[in-house]
């Protein structure tokens, strides 16, 4: 009866466990389903946040400036490649040409005029409806900005000469020069005030000034950073600075609004645009990034066009943009209004996905007995030694920051065009496996690998032969004083810096006064003399022979320590059984010091694959590529050629090769042990 009761209790307990297991399985499945749903939510939100659309307007060349005529529903685009075009419904109405880039456009729809500033030192006036050239003004300087007063009686232009001189020149509508004022600082923009008599100028020193037509300064607003562009929107003037800050000013230069983009990619600021209502601010960059700020000056959106952005223009509820490429794109303000909502939803879905997937993983661990037990043991151990883990956290943080962070960065940037010129995130582009293809195409890496294999084989042979023999001979000496003296003499060369030792060997190999050639001449073997480091047949072997007789202090001490730990009693027992010194070394001592040999082989492999100091000092990889190695190729590309992405790819390949060789070496040694 007792047995029946116990059996019933066991069945009840097992049933409860099964019920709990089913509960955890159901929880894991539900959490996984919710996590997948959250992922779909993330995808939906990010599609809604893709606010930039292509308009289909194509000039076929690089663009520079753009204006819009609402009455005629026409876009006028000034190209960087010597052309200006008019578009309606995506179709070309007319086009005209010049011999320079159209830097700025000003449209007067009421009088059917398009005023175009060109970098070929001319101002062109076209009939806006058909592109007929009405006036050509030879300014004799590079024109960077143009505007027309409200009464349509004067044309004001800004020119730049060199990097520090600008001219404010006024012309009549017939092209007659009215006045010319010289400024000692380069100007970045010009716009007339509503009174038609004063102008707003912006310069690269970070100053926005209100001046008379004769150049007299009436007031100045200082931004403290170089201004990249100035535009007018309604009754306000907007400027954007080099550091990503922007300002809205009225005609009296009172600051109405200011903000700053979060430019974490360190892109170079180039342009600014606002919607017709003046709520949303768009900042463009030379690398093609667009930063969008809302009415509260919060950054709600970032897009990468991939091409230098030069100009924006508001049209109804949209903002159009163009730049150094064959594109005109637009952003809808209505979509921007919802951008912040979708951004918050995206963050919520990301957090939910992380929680649900972690919960699903926890549910599966609790459902599977083995995983549950393993997880429980690990948690108990961590909790038991929680103070130790807590104290180790700063160490782990420092290790990640200064050791592993660089490795992860190299792993990522090995697939980019990171270089001395593309040195910011904004300028870097994903290039896939191009860097790895270069290794095969250029050939230096493959040549270096062949040399490296030879250096590895000879280095391992040098490490496991001469130092081991020297350690065994010193260990075999009778008398502690003599042992100490010989051990000291073998280790003494370690105090000489490695660079000094390499330079000594450089003198030994010298073809004129070197020890080797001098010795060959003394023993009447002058025919054997060589330029040891300058001959492709002998250079690599000269590198290998460097350090003769190859008694490295480190392997010597490791092997000597291993022999000491064996003890004399084993040797004495073997000698009682008639074993010779050779038998004792080969069958007893050598197997017992295999761990030390394994360590030295591993360290030699790592050191040989990473070291290039001796080669760099003696031959620089030459003659030709006779002594080239991958580590030297990595150094030259990173330190001299500025090809950081390619150098990172080399590092990744060397890391994989090093880990593979090390794992194989350890596996072979472990199996023998």
């Amino acid at each position: 009866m007792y047995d029946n009761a116990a059996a019933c209790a066991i069945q009840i307990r097992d049933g409860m466990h099964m019920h709990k297991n089913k509960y955890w399985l159901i929880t894991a499945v539900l959490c996984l389903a919710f996590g997948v749903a959250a992922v779909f939510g993330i995808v939906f939100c990010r599609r809604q946040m893709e606010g930039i659309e292509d308009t289909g307007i194509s000039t076929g060349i690089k663009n520079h400036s753009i204006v819009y005529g609402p009455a005629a529903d026409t876009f006028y685009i000034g190209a960087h490649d010597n052309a200006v075009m008019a578009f309606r419904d995506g179709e070309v109405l007319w086009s005209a040409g010049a011999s320079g880039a159209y830097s700025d456009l000003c449209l007067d729809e009421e009088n059917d005029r398009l005023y175009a500033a060109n970098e070929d030192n001319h101002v062109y006036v076209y009939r806006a409806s058909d592109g007929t050239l009405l006036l050509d003004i030879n300014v004799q300087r590079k024109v960077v900005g143009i505007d027309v007063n409200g009464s349509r009686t004067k044309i004001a232009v800004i020119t730049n000469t060199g990097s520090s001189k600008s001219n404010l020149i006024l012309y009549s509508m017939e092209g007659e020069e009215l006045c010319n004022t010289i400024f000692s600082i380069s100007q970045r923009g010009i716009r007339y005030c509503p009174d038609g008599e004063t102008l707003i100028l912006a310069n690269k020193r970070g100053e926005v000034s209100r001046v008379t037509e004769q150049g007299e300064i009436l007031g100045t607003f200082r931004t403290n950073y170089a201004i990249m562009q100035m535009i007018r929107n309604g009754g306000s003037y907007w400027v954007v600075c080099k550091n990503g800050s922007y300002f809205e000013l009225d005609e009296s230069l009172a600051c109405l609004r200011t903000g700053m983009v979060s430019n974490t990619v360190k892109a170079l600021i180039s342009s600014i645009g606002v919607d017709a209502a003046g709520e949303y601010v768009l900042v463009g960059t030379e690398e093609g990034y667009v930063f969008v700020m809302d009415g509260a000056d919060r950054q709600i959106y970032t897009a990468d066009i991939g091409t230098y952005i030069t100009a924006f223009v508001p049209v109804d509820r949209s903002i159009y943009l163009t730049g150094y490429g064959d594109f005109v794109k637009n952003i809808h303000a209505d979509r921007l209004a919802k951008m912040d909502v979708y951004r918050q939803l995206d963050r919520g879905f990301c957090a939910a996905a992380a929680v649900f997937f972690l919960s699903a993983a926890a549910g599966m661990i609790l459902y599977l007995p083995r995983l549950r037990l393993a997880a429980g043991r690990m948690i108990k151990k961590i909790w038991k030694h929680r103070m130790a883990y807590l104290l180790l956290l700063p160490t782990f943080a420092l290790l990640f920051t200064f050791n592993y962070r660089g490795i992860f960065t190299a792993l990522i940037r090995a697939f980019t065009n990171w270089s001395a010129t593309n040195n910011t995130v904004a300028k870097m582009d994903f290039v896939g496996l191009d860097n790895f293809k270069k290794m095969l195409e250029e050939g230096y890496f493959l040549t270096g690998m062949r040399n490296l294999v030879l250096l590895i084989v000879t280095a391992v042979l040098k490490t496991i032969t001469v130092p081991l023999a020297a350690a065994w001979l010193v260990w075999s000496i009778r008398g502690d004083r003599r042992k100490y003296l010989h051990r000291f003499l073998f280790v003494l060369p370690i105090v000489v810096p490695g660079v000094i030792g390499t330079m000594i060997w450089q003198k030994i190999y010298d073809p004129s006064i070197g020890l080797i050639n001098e010795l060959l001449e003394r023993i009447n073997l002058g025919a054997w003399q060589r330029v040891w480091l300058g001959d492709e047949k002998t250079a690599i072997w000269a590198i290998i022979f460097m350090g003769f007789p190859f008694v490295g202090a480190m392997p010597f001490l490791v092997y000597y320590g291993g022999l000491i730990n064996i003890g004399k009693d084993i040797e004495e027992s073997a000698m009682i059984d008639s074993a010779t010194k050779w038998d004792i070394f080969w069958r007893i001592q050598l197997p017992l010091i295999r761990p030390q040999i394994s360590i030295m082989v591993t360290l030699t492999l790592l050191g040989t694959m990473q070291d290039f100091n001796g080669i760099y000092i003696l031959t620089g990889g030459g003659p030709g590529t006779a002594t080239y190695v991958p580590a030297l190729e990595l150094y030259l590309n990173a330190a001299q050629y500025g090809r950081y992405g390619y150098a990172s790819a080399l590092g990744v390949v060397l890391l994989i090769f090093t880990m593979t060789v090390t794992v194989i070496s350890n596996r072979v040694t472990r199996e023998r042990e």
Side-chain angles (χ1 to χ4, degrees):
M1 188 169 180
Y2 175 78
D3 293 339
N4 292 334
C8 289
I10 292 172
Q11 289 179 359
I12 293 171
R13 185 189 63 187
D14 292 342
M16 292 177 65
H17 280 303
M18 291 178 64
H19 179 72
K20 286 183 178 180
N21 284 345
K22 289 181 180 179
Y23 169 77
W24 289 121
L25 179 60
I26 293 171
T27 301
V29 172
L30 288 175
C31 288
L32 182 62
F34 287 137
V36 172
V39 171
F40 280 107
I42 293 170
V43 173
F44 172 76
C45 289
R46 294 189 177 177
R47 283 181 179 175
Q48 296 302 313
M49 290 169 64
E50 294 175 357
I52 296 183
E53 299 176 350
D54 194 3
T55 63
I57 297 175
S58 174
T59 61
I61 49 180
K62 290 182 180 179
N63 302 331
H64 193 288
S65 52
I66 183 171
V67 292
Y68 174 71
D73 189 24
T74 303
F75 286 96
Y76 301 89
I77 300 173
H80 185 269
D81 296 333
N82 314 337
V84 61
M85 300 182 183
F87 289 85
R88 183 183 300 154
D89 297 328
E91 300 294 331
V92 179
L93 297 181
W94 58 264
S95 65
S99 56
Y102 284 86
S103 55
D104 197 12
L105 299 176
C106 179
L107 178 64
D108 176 12
E109 273 200 298
E110 184 178 344
N111 295 305
D112 196 21
R113 296 289 187 270
L114 177 67
Y115 301 87
N118 199 286
E119 293 182 0
D120 66 357
N121 303 343
H122 286 252
V123 169
Y124 300 101
V125 182
Y126 300 99
R127 185 179 291 124
S129 57
D130 58 17
T132 302
L133 181 63
L134 303 175
L135 182 64
D136 179 356
I137 303 174
N138 186 1
V139 183
Q140 299 179 353
R141 299 168 185 85
K142 180 181 177 181
V143 186
V144 296
I146 187 171
D147 201 14
V148 178
N149 66 346
S151 59
R152 308 300 191 265
T153 58
K154 299 171 190 173
I155 305 171
V157 300
I158 277 291
T159 68
N160 281 341
T161 305
S163 60
S164 61
K165 184 179 178 182
S166 284
N167 291 69
L168 167 59
I169 309 175
L170 261 65
Y171 293 94
S172 68
M173 287 300 169
E174 291 73 31
E176 179 184 356
E177 183 177 316
L178 302 178
C179 65
N180 186 342
T181 305
I182 300 175
F183 294 92
S184 59
I185 185 70
S186 178
Q187 302 293 324
R188 294 294 173 85
I190 180 173
R191 290 294 182 265
Y192 259 108
C193 292
D195 60 16
E197 300 295 330
T198 56
L199 303 106
I200 303 295
L201 300 180
N203 62 40
K204 73 173 185 179
R205 195 162 50 197
E207 298 171 340
V208 184
S209 302
R210 184 176 183 180
V211 301
T212 65
E213 293 178 327
Q214 290 72 37
E216 179 185 355
I217 298 177
L218 303 177
T220 300
F221 177 85
R222 291 179 173 83
T223 66
N224 299 323
Y225 288 93
I227 294 173
M228 307 309 296
Q229 191 179 64
M230 179 183 73
I231 63 170
R232 180 177 56 214
N233 187 59
S236 298
Y237 302 87
W238 295 79
V239 295
V240 65
C241 301
K242 187 176 183 178
N243 69 329
S245 59
Y246 56 88
F247 302 86
E248 179 188 9
L249 309 172
D250 62 14
E251 61 179 300
S252 63
L253 301 185
C255 185
L256 305 177
R257 178 178 168 185
T258 183
M260 185 172 180
V261 301
S262 177
N263 186 8
T264 57
V265 295
K266 298 181 181 180
L268 301 177
I269 304 299
S270 62
S271 54
I272 184 172
V274 293
D275 67 322
E279 179 181 2
Y280 296 100
V281 181
L282 284 73
V283 175
T285 69
E286 293 184 10
E287 295 82 5
Y289 283 86
V290 180
F291 305 110
V292 180
M293 314 295 288
D294 65 7
D297 296 304
R298 297 173 303 174
Q299 190 161 314
I300 60 172
Y301 181 57
T302 300
D304 183 8
I305 304 299
T307 308
Y308 196 135
I309 298 169
T310 57
F312 297 87
V313 61
V315 179
D316 297 328
R317 295 289 295 167
S318 297
I319 305 117
Y320 288 74
L321 65 144
T322 191
Y324 287 174
D326 181 18
F327 71 91
V328 176
K329 298 180 182 293
N330 71 333
I331 301 178
H332 293 285
D334 293 337
R335 183 170 291 182
L336 291 177
K338 301 176 182 177
M339 198 73 72
D340 190 46
V341 175
Y342 286 117
R343 185 181 61 173
Q344 297 298 334
L345 285 174
D346 178 70
R347 290 177 178 175
F349 280 129
C350 287
V355 170
F356 284 130
F357 283 130
L358 288 175
S359 300
M364 290 303 297
I365 290 173
L366 293 172
Y367 171 69
L368 298 172
R370 290 185 179 180
L371 289 177
R372 184 170 64 248
L373 291 174
R377 284 196 295 266
M378 183 181 69
I379 293 172
K380 287 179 181 178
K381 287 182 180 180
I382 293 175
W383 180 252
K384 181 180 179 180
H385 304 288
R386 57 188 179 277
M387 186 55 65
Y389 283 105
L390 185 64
L391 293 174
L392 284 171
L393 276 178
T395 303
F396 291 147
L398 291 172
L399 282 172
F400 175 80
T401 302
F402 296 104
N403 287 13
Y404 293 102
R405 181 170 172 268
I407 296 174
F408 292 134
T409 301
L411 287 172
I412 295 170
R413 297 190 178 179
F415 301 93
T416 68
N417 62 343
W418 185 25
S419 67
T421 53
N422 302 323
N423 53 8
T424 63
V425 176
K427 293 181 179 180
M428 293 180 207
D429 293 321
F430 179 77
V431 295
L433 300 175
D434 286 357
N435 290 325
F436 298 92
K437 292 178 182 177
K438 286 180 183 178
M439 298 180 198
L440 304 177
E441 293 171 355
E442 294 185 356
Y444 295 109
F445 178 76
L446 296 177
T447 300
M449 287 299 294
R450 287 195 294 269
N451 292 333
L452 180 61
V453 170
L454 179 60
L455 290 171
I456 287 174
V457 172
T458 54
V460 170
L461 290 175
K462 289 187 291 184
T463 300
I464 63 177
T465 52
V466 181
L468 178 58
W472 185 78
L473 290 173
V474 173
W475 180 83
S476 301
I477 294 175
R478 297 187 181 276
D480 292 339
R481 289 187 178 180
R482 285 189 293 171
K483 282 185 179 181
Y484 177 81
L485 176 62
H486 285 81
R487 186 170 69 245
F488 172 76
L489 292 175
F490 275 118
V491 176
L492 182 61
I494 202 173
V495 302
V496 180
V499 174
I500 301 300
T502 302
M503 295 178 71
I504 290 173
W505 277 94
Q506 189 177 37
K507 295 300 181 183
I508 292 174
Y509 287 131
D510 190 283
S512 302
I513 60 172
L515 176 64
I516 296 178
N517 281 351
E518 288 287 337
L519 181 62
L520 290 173
E521 185 176 356
R522 294 293 179 89
I523 61 176
N524 297 321
L525 293 175
W528 289 16
Q529 291 179 336
R530 295 285 187 280
V531 181
W532 300 100
L533 296 174
D535 189 335
E536 292 187 0
K537 296 180 180 179
T538 60
I540 189 67
W541 294 104
I543 297 294
I544 293 170
F545 195 81
M546 184 176 63
F548 181 82
F550 316 127
V551 185
M554 179 70 176
F556 170 81
L557 289 176
V558 170
Y559 296 147
Y560 185 77
L563 291 170
I564 288 176
N565 288 333
I566 294 175
K568 285 288 186 180
D569 52 344
I570 296 178
E571 181 186 8
E572 292 172 356
S573 300
M575 293 181 69
I576 291 173
D577 293 333
S578 302
T580 63
K581 286 278 187 180
W582 175 253
D583 292 332
I584 294 171
F585 172 74
W586 187 254
R587 298 186 179 183
I588 298 175
Q589 293 172 329
L590 189 60
L592 290 176
I593 63 171
R594 276 181 181 169
Q596 286 81 3
I597 295 175
S598 175
I599 291 172
M600 288 315 306
V601 168
T602 301
L603 293 176
T604 301
L605 290 171
L606 295 174
T608 305
M609 284 185 279
Q610 296 174 2
D611 182 49
F612 63 91
N613 296 334
I615 293 174
Y616 185 70
I617 294 172
L618 293 178
T619 65
T625 56
T627 59
Y628 218 75
V629 290
L632 179 61
E633 169 80 343
L634 190 157
Y635 168 77
L636 292 176
N637 278 278
Q640 295 187 13
Y641 308 148
R643 300 198 300 176
Y644 307 133
Y646 181 62
S648 298
L650 286 167
V652 170
V653 174
L654 282 178
L655 174 65
I656 296 172
F657 182 72
T658 302
M659 291 181 63
T660 303
V661 173
T662 304
V663 168
I664 293 173
S665 172
N666 290 339
R667 180 66 60 85
V668 171
T669 305
R670 191 181 302 114
E671 288 177 355
R672 288 179 178 177
E673 291 174 2

